[in-house]
Amino acid sequence: MARNYTLHTATAAAPRIDYQAELNEQQYAAVTAPPGQTLVIAGAGSGKTRTLTYRVAWLLDNGVLPEQILLLTFTNKAAREMLERVASLVTADTTRMWGGTFHSIGNKFLRWNAERLGYRKGFSIMDREDQKDLMETVINSSGIDTAGFKFPKPEVIGDIFSLADNTCTSVEEILKTRYPYFEKIAEQIVRIRKLYQDKKVETNCMDFDDLLTQSVRLLKEHEDLRERYQRQFEFVLVDEYQDTNSLQCEFVEMITGRDGNLMVVGDDAQSIYSWRGADVGNILQFHEYWPRATVHKIEVNYRSVPEVLSLANASIANNKSQIQKQLQPAREAKGQLPALVPLDSGSAQAQFIAQRILELQDEGTELNEIAILYRAHFHSMEIQMELTARGIPFQITSGLRFFEQAHVKDVAAFMKFAINRRDEVSFMRMVKLIPGVGGASALKLWNAWLKTDASQADVMTGKFSDLLIPMSVPKKARETWDQFAYTLDELIIDGVPQPPPAMIRSIYEGVYEEYMKSKFKNAEQRQQDLEQLSNYSSRFTDPLEFLSQLSLLSGVDTDNKPDAQPEDRDAVTLTTAHQAKGLEWHTVFAVWMADGMFPHARAVEESDAGLEEERRLFYVTITRAKDELYLTYPLINHQARDGDILMRPSRFITELSMDLMEKWNVRSGW
């Protein structure tokens, strides 16, 4: 028979915080919830971080020791900001609290206990570059023939392993569902995984994912450690629970214990990261593992005007798999409904957005209070061009400017060299795409090329594939070089350069498609970029004119890279909807709101779950707007290959009542 006995700390000073005055009724109920398991559903703009911060302060004010609290977040910045806020609220010594990302907490566990798993003290943590180098060593020493098939680069293999770890599934399953074009070499990839795992132990190194996988293994295999940490962490709190993957969920369960005190805060309506392993089921089925959990809903939104919230509520209500909630506005109505703006074309869409931004600026809205959100990065291409033409400063947080991306520059290198056979920079970039060709080999090839008559002639005579340059190509690269040469032949026929769209299609289908799949984990997104580049190129008949325009657009404002820009720079923000989560602006333009674009065509084809995640992404997009929201889409989408395609508005718009929106009829005028 066992008896429970509780130690009480010395009576603390009276709390400095008037919790009821500082919090609304829903927040107060969550912050002061009794011990046990608690699920807090915090809607968009409802003060989620404030609630979690005050919960920690409440625990400390009620005698819980700082070292008994574990706060798990998704970024170190979030943990740091919350802990600093807590420190300003209470008198307790918050430096003794455990707060940080899942991986940083895992690192602490492993620093003290890694020897139990076969590692030695002082193990190294590899960054992405280190991981790539070690993987390369493993592949090269594995005896596996990587020349006969476009074998995935070490970075891609690393992403495959990472996804398997974080979703707690097998490599074979990841290949089947995410990388079907590598299924034929599944056996070799699985073998590399085993060799890679062994090599990490041998070299006393861990990669980023090991910090969590090995921590879970540690807790599973060693009951004494599991019980020790469960006793230490009297209260476990988890931020953004809707974004957890299977591995993180398992870590929470192991560190809390079935009877532990757990509070998770999140919003199922903002779960948008399944593509990187997040599982919305962790929050939707929370009660399956924690049947005694109580639920608190925080639904008062302090961000957006009621007109925006009405649209958001109506949209997310169409999802079947969700925890029901209704955002309530704290702000008064402004009288301006979200605008639905169909435009004639992608170009007209860009013109409307640029013109409206200038009008908003004249009305007193700062440029850094305006954002343009899109489903995919390539949706921003024409908008970038229009903003550049009108001198409207912008910063891109979803990646590089469209024309500065590696895959765009790779394709352009083929075109540049085909037209200008003395372009050494483009030649070197092009041949370095060939497996086995590095800097020295590329220079050797260039010198061999300069000795040919074709390199000196004003007009290309003969064919690239007939030249003697292959003699300088490394043996293992010969087959690929031949394909490169045949592709170059297709770019210039009878001495005449082909139209830009035909050139891009030949490069992509001839050599670049396979290269992208083996090199990039987001090959499909990059393919869409190249399709958009081809569509844009159809405006030009002369490839030289097209390439000149590309260079001019790439060179604009190059001293203002996103990573070098101060956050308060007065510039419009361009970003994907995924990366906009957690942010807010006075005015939001949600662009390319057409079926097949948003929602993404692939999600529509796949499953109800995929479509519901797209709707959650739409919900995240529109709830970024504080005051004004514009939903735009082109009626016609010009495709280089298929011609003009009639676009339909997104089903996320057509399923809503038009009473929630105001349709703008835009006409061209002087």
Side-chain angles (χ1 to χ4, degrees), residues 415-665:
M415 300 174 72
K416 287 179 179 179
F417 176 69
I419 295 168
N420 175 14
R421 292 178 301 286
R422 301 301 297 273
D423 187 339
E424 182 178 353
V425 171
S426 293
F427 180 90
M428 298 287 273
R429 184 180 187 104
M430 179 181 72
V431 298
K432 283 179 183 177
L433 301 179
I434 301 173
V437 175
S441 301
L443 186 60
K444 196 174 176 184
L445 279 166
W446 175 249
N447 290 329
W449 166 251
L450 290 178
K451 293 175 183 175
T452 65
D453 293 338
S455 69
Q456 311 299 324
D458 291 332
V459 179
M460 179 71 184
T461 55
K463 295 185 175 182
F464 288 99
S465 50
D466 292 335
L467 301 174
L468 296 177
I469 187 172
M471 299 300 292
S472 304
V473 179
K475 283 186 179 179
K476 65 178 182 178
R478 290 280 171 87
E479 185 181 335
T480 308
W481 167 259
D482 288 342
Q483 186 58 50
F484 268 53
Y486 288 126
T487 296
L488 287 168
D489 287 343
E490 291 181 3
L491 305 187
I492 299 181
I493 298 176
D494 296 331
V496 179
Q498 295 303 290
M503 280 187 156
I504 293 171
R505 186 160 58 249
S506 291
I507 296 163
Y508 178 74
E509 294 176 354
V511 294
Y512 205 70
E513 181 179 15
E514 278 196 33
Y515 172 80
M516 275 205 314
K517 286 178 178 178
S518 67
K519 171 72 175 174
F520 304 117
K521 63 177 180 178
N522 59 343
E524 185 179 343
Q525 293 174 29
R526 292 172 189 259
Q527 177 191 350
Q528 292 173 337
D529 286 348
L530 294 179
E531 286 175 2
Q532 190 71 3
L533 183 70
S534 178
N535 296 340
Y536 171 63
S537 76
S538 64
R539 303 178 184 186
F540 304 86
T541 53
D542 181 359
L544 194 55
E545 185 185 352
F546 166 67
L547 290 169
S548 298
Q549 185 67 16
L550 227 61
S551 297
L552 290 171
L553 286 166
S554 299
V556 171
D557 204 21
T558 51
D559 58 333
N560 281 322
K561 300 296 183 188
D563 57 358
Q565 295 170 345
E567 289 185 9
D568 60 351
R569 178 177 180 243
D570 195 21
V572 175
T573 298
L574 274 69
T575 187
T576 62
H578 282 102
Q579 290 187 301
K581 184 172 171 287
L583 303 175
E584 59 184 40
W585 294 270
H586 175 279
T587 300
V588 166
F589 292 89
V591 304
W592 281 95
M593 293 304 309
D595 240 28
M597 297 294 181
F598 200 156
H600 192 284
R602 187 184 67 253
V604 175
E605 294 164 2
E606 283 180 354
S607 63
D608 289 343
L611 185 59
E612 292 211 345
E613 178 157 336
E614 289 288 298
R615 191 178 283 108
R616 293 195 294 268
L617 184 60
F618 177 62
Y619 175 85
V620 166
T621 301
I622 58 183
T623 53
R624 299 311 94 196
K626 293 193 287 187
D627 291 85
E628 296 188 29
L629 173 65
Y630 298 85
L631 306 168
T632 71
Y633 70 96
L635 295 166
I636 299 292
N637 182 21
H638 178 71
Q639 298 283 308
R641 184 179 297 192
D642 302 319
D644 290 342
I645 297 175
L646 185 64
M647 304 298 287
R648 293 178 299 177
S650 168
R651 65 191 63 194
F652 298 153
I653 291 174
T654 57
E655 69 191 9
L656 299 174
S657 168
M658 277 306 298
D659 292 340
L660 298 169
M661 295 168 276
E662 179 182 50
K663 187 175 181 181
W664 286 31
N665 298 311

Side-chain angles (χ1 to χ4, degrees), residues 220-374:
K220 273 185 174 179
E221 295 179 2
H222 300 277
E223 187 178 354
D224 62 320
L225 284 177
R226 187 169 67 249
E227 290 180 352
R228 172 191 152 192
Y229 285 120
Q230 286 177 1
R231 280 197 309 272
Q232 176 180 342
F233 300 121
E234 191 75 22
F235 289 86
V236 178
L237 301 98
V238 187
D239 189 22
E240 302 283 14
Y241 196 71
Q242 79 281 346
D243 293 336
T244 54
N245 56 42
S246 297
L247 182 63
Q248 290 163 332
C249 188
E250 190 171 11
F251 180 78
V252 170
E253 292 168 359
M254 300 289 293
I255 205 68
T256 304
R258 298 290 292 192
D259 299 316
N261 298 314
L262 172 68
M263 175 177 281
V264 304
V265 182
D267 181 8
D268 58 292
Q270 297 186 73
S271 179
I272 57 173
Y273 297 118
S274 67
W275 48 276
R276 68 184 189 198
D279 184 358
V280 69
N282 292 343
I283 195 167
L284 291 178
Q285 281 89 52
F286 188 76
H287 275 89
E288 289 185 11
Y289 193 86
W290 309 99
R292 292 175 292 169
T294 57
V295 179
H296 290 270
K297 295 180 183 178
I298 304 176
E299 299 167 298
V300 179
N301 176 287
Y302 293 92
R303 175 188 299 149
S304 305
V305 291
E307 294 89 342
V308 170
L309 294 186
S310 295
L311 192 73
N313 284 328
S315 176
I316 202 64
N318 289 290
N319 269 11
K320 295 176 182 176
S321 298
Q322 65 168 304
I323 297 170
Q324 293 293 332
K325 73 189 74 64
Q326 189 82 0
L327 293 179
Q328 304 294 330
R331 297 180 59 191
E332 293 183 1
K334 190 175 180 181
Q336 181 176 336
L337 291 173
L340 176 62
V341 192
L343 285 309
D344 290 340
S345 63
S347 176
Q349 177 179 239
Q351 290 170 27
F352 167 77
I353 290 167
Q355 180 173 310
R356 189 70 192 113
I357 286 172
L358 292 173
E359 291 169 352
L360 286 163
Q361 190 179 30
D362 288 342
E363 293 166 12
T365 303
E366 300 287 341
L367 292 182
N368 58 14
E369 275 293 323
I370 300 172
I372 301 167
L373 308 187
Y374 34 83

Side-chain angles (χ1 to χ4, degrees), residues 385-398:
M385 291 163 51
E386 188 66 28
L387 295 179
T388 299
R390 298 208 190 197
I392 299 173
F394 63 92
Q395 53 190 355
I396 301 172
T397 61
S398 58

Side-chain angles (χ1 to χ4, degrees), residues 5-16:
Y5 185 83
T6 303
L7 287 176
H8 298 283
T9 58
T11 305
R16 295 187 297 171

Side-chain angles (χ1 to χ4, degrees), residues 128-147:
R128 280 287 187 181
E129 196 63 30
D130 297 333
Q131 183 184 12
K132 173 191 156 191
D133 292 343
L134 189 66
M135 192 83 71
E136 210 161 54
T137 300
V138 168
I139 294 169
N140 292 338
S141 62
S142 67
I144 295 171
D145 179 17
T146 60

Side-chain angles (χ1 to χ4, degrees), residues 103-164:
H103 295 88
S104 66
I105 298 301
N107 180 45
K108 282 189 177 183
F109 288 176
L110 293 167
R111 285 296 168 199
W112 297 327
N113 303 292
E115 290 168 282
R116 296 202 188 196
L117 300 174
Y119 285 86
R120 296 184 296 282
K121 281 185 178 178
F123 64 84
S124 301
I125 301 172
M126 297 184 290
D127 60 19
R128 280 287 187 181
E129 196 63 30
D130 297 333
Q131 183 184 12
K132 173 191 156 191
D133 292 343
L134 189 66
M135 192 83 71
E136 210 161 54
T137 300
V138 168
I139 294 169
N140 292 338
S141 62
S142 67
I144 295 171
D145 179 17
T146 60
F149 177 79
K150 285 286 183 187
F151 207 79
K153 303 286 184 186
E155 303 98 304
V156 176
I157 292 182
D159 283 314
I160 291 169
F161 294 169
S162 179
L163 204 51

